[in-house]
Amino acid sequence: MDQIDAKILSLLHENARMPISEMSRMIAMSQPAVTERLRKLEEQGIINAYRVQLSPQKLGMHTTAFVMFKTNSCPDFITFCEESPEIVELYRTSGEYNFLMKVLTETTASLANLLDKSNVFGFSSVLIVLSTAFEDKNLLKRDK
Amino acid sequence: MDQIDAKILSLLHENARMPISEMSRMIAMSQPAVTERLRKLEEQGIINAYRVQLSPQKLGMHTTAFVMFKTNSCPDFITFCEESPEIVELYRTSGEYNFLMKVLTETTASLANLLDKSNVFGFSSVLIVLSTAFEDKNLLKRDK
DNA sequence: GTTGAAAAAACAGAGGA
DNA sequence: TCCTCTGTTTTTTCAAC
């Protein structure tokens, strides 16, 4: 991982579908050299995946929430979360609650409906997201 | 947005760098037709961006945490968060706390260091992430 | 790491259901 | 409107260095 690798990853952070040829022009290096660096970054596992980022709003999901959950039936609860399309992220956490999940629903009513269904597993505390300040920070933009 | 668009977005969810020609083969449709559908999905804003997903662990960030924060100096606090590379996501929320942030640090000690710096803005409650059950769910996999 | 040629993919226009 | 077909340009791959 040198500065050139960091530059490649920064370009991909802005647009993961950028052609390698365009990247090679921007960093003044031959195209096969960039291809080889990319291959190594993928092989090392530094690059996990290339994802498309969709707009929840445009897909009709107008409510975002984080839900903290306390449960004793962990395996069943995890299965429930995996099978609930509204639950897009799930973390085990320390603290009074042992799970945190990110939820996308059409309305606050559909969020309430999900919470009703989850109540059999334990109890929850809900943080409604009023607005997102940022969520796409480049991991490499670190002042060292 | 029909079933073909959904299929295109599902393929891009798996690999955002998949060539259009490969997608067109998988959905049995001509390459220019897929190109045009992609262009419209981008134009409509359904596709927000194409991102590369990096491994925090491979980049030396071994601690993930969610921090709830209560502050009265919102603009200054947001600026502080934007300028802190460890803070990768920031949301305004309802409830006792008015912010929630996702933090990636090298160690728990560097997390403590960040919390020390943030204390001037208010007070916080920390949820350390013990493990991630999932965080890449396809938004379109909804049983309707 | 570079160059250069062959293969593949993306693009842009014409025309059809 | 949405698609296919086709020719041109661009990108990728792969060889040799």
Side-chain angles (χ1 to χ4, degrees):
Chain A
M1 266 290 291
D2 58 8
Q3 286 306 102
I4 296 175
D5 284 336
K7 181 68 180 168
I8 290 172
L9 295 177
S10 280
L11 290 171
L12 287 173
H13 177 78
E14 294 303 314
N15 174 20
R17 280 186 73 80
M18 181 179 288
I20 293 173
S21 55
E22 190 176 338
M23 291 192 268
S24 71
R25 281 191 293 270
M26 294 180 86
I27 62 185
M29 179 181 269
S30 75
Q31 194 269 350
V34 176
T35 302
E36 179 62 11
R37 278 169 177 270
L38 250 191
R39 193 193 64 72
K40 281 182 181 162
L41 288 166
E42 292 169 359
E43 190 182 59
Q44 291 176 268
I46 292 175
I47 292 178
N48 257 332
Y50 303 97
R51 301 283 183 199
V52 62
Q53 183 184 297
L54 305 181
S55 163
Q57 284 72 31
K58 294 293 169 86
L59 293 171
M61 277 94 82
H62 299 288
T63 300
T64 304
F66 283 89
V67 179
M68 297 183 288
F69 212 91
K70 186 180 176 82
T71 182
N72 288 317
S73 50
C74 289
D76 287 352
F77 178 70
I78 292 174
T79 301
F80 167 78
C81 290
E82 285 172 344
E83 292 174 351
S84 301
E86 303 92 342
I87 302 173
V88 295
E89 300 177 17
L90 179 67
Y91 308 91
R92 294 194 72 148
T93 59
S94 67
E96 190 189 349
Y97 296 89
N98 50 0
F99 284 96
L100 176 68
M101 56 205 203
K102 185 176 185 178
V103 181
L104 295 178
T105 57
E106 298 189 7
T107 62
T108 49
S110 41
L111 172 60
N113 189 43
L114 176 71
L115 294 172
D116 287 344
K117 286 195 291 180
S118 69
N119 273 345
V120 296
F121 297 103
F123 61 91
S124 59
S125 177
V126 180
L127 294 86
I128 300 279
V129 172
L130 305 175
S131 71
T132 299
F134 58 82
E135 57 180 352
D136 297 307
K137 193 171 277 186
N138 186 340
L139 294 194
L140 296 167
K141 283 272 160 64
R142 317 220 144 210
D143 4 322
K144 289 179 182 170
Chain B
M1 265 290 290
D2 58 9
Q3 285 306 101
I4 295 173
D5 285 336
K7 181 68 180 168
I8 291 172
L9 294 178
S10 280
L11 290 171
L12 287 173
H13 177 79
E14 294 304 314
N15 174 19
R17 280 186 73 80
M18 180 179 288
I20 293 175
S21 55
E22 190 176 336
M23 291 193 266
S24 72
R25 280 191 294 270
M26 295 181 85
I27 62 184
M29 179 180 266
S30 75
Q31 189 267 348
V34 176
T35 302
E36 179 62 11
R37 279 169 176 271
L38 249 192
R39 192 192 64 72
K40 281 182 180 163
L41 288 166
E42 291 169 0
E43 190 182 58
Q44 290 176 271
I46 291 175
I47 292 178
N48 255 333
Y50 303 97
R51 302 282 183 200
V52 63
Q53 184 184 297
L54 305 180
S55 164
Q57 284 73 33
K58 295 293 169 87
L59 294 171
M61 276 94 81
H62 300 287
T63 299
T64 304
F66 283 89
V67 179
M68 298 182 286
F69 212 91
K70 186 180 175 83
T71 183
N72 288 319
S73 49
C74 289
D76 287 353
F77 178 70
I78 293 175
T79 301
F80 167 78
C81 291
E82 285 172 344
E83 291 174 352
S84 302
E86 304 92 341
I87 302 174
V88 294
E89 300 177 19
L90 180 66
Y91 307 92
R92 293 193 73 149
T93 58
S94 68
E96 189 188 351
Y97 297 89
N98 50 359
F99 284 95
L100 176 68
M101 57 205 203
K102 185 176 184 177
V103 181
L104 295 177
T105 57
E106 297 188 9
T107 63
T108 48
S110 39
L111 172 60
N113 190 44
L114 175 71
L115 294 173
D116 287 344
K117 286 194 290 179
S118 68
N119 274 345
V120 295
F121 298 102
F123 61 89
S124 59
S125 177
V126 180
L127 293 86
I128 301 278
V129 172
L130 305 174
S131 70
T132 300
F134 58 83
E135 56 180 354
D136 296 308
K137 194 170 279 186
N138 185 341
L139 294 194
L140 296 167
K141 283 273 159 63
R142 315 222 145 209
D143 4 321
K144 288 181 181 170

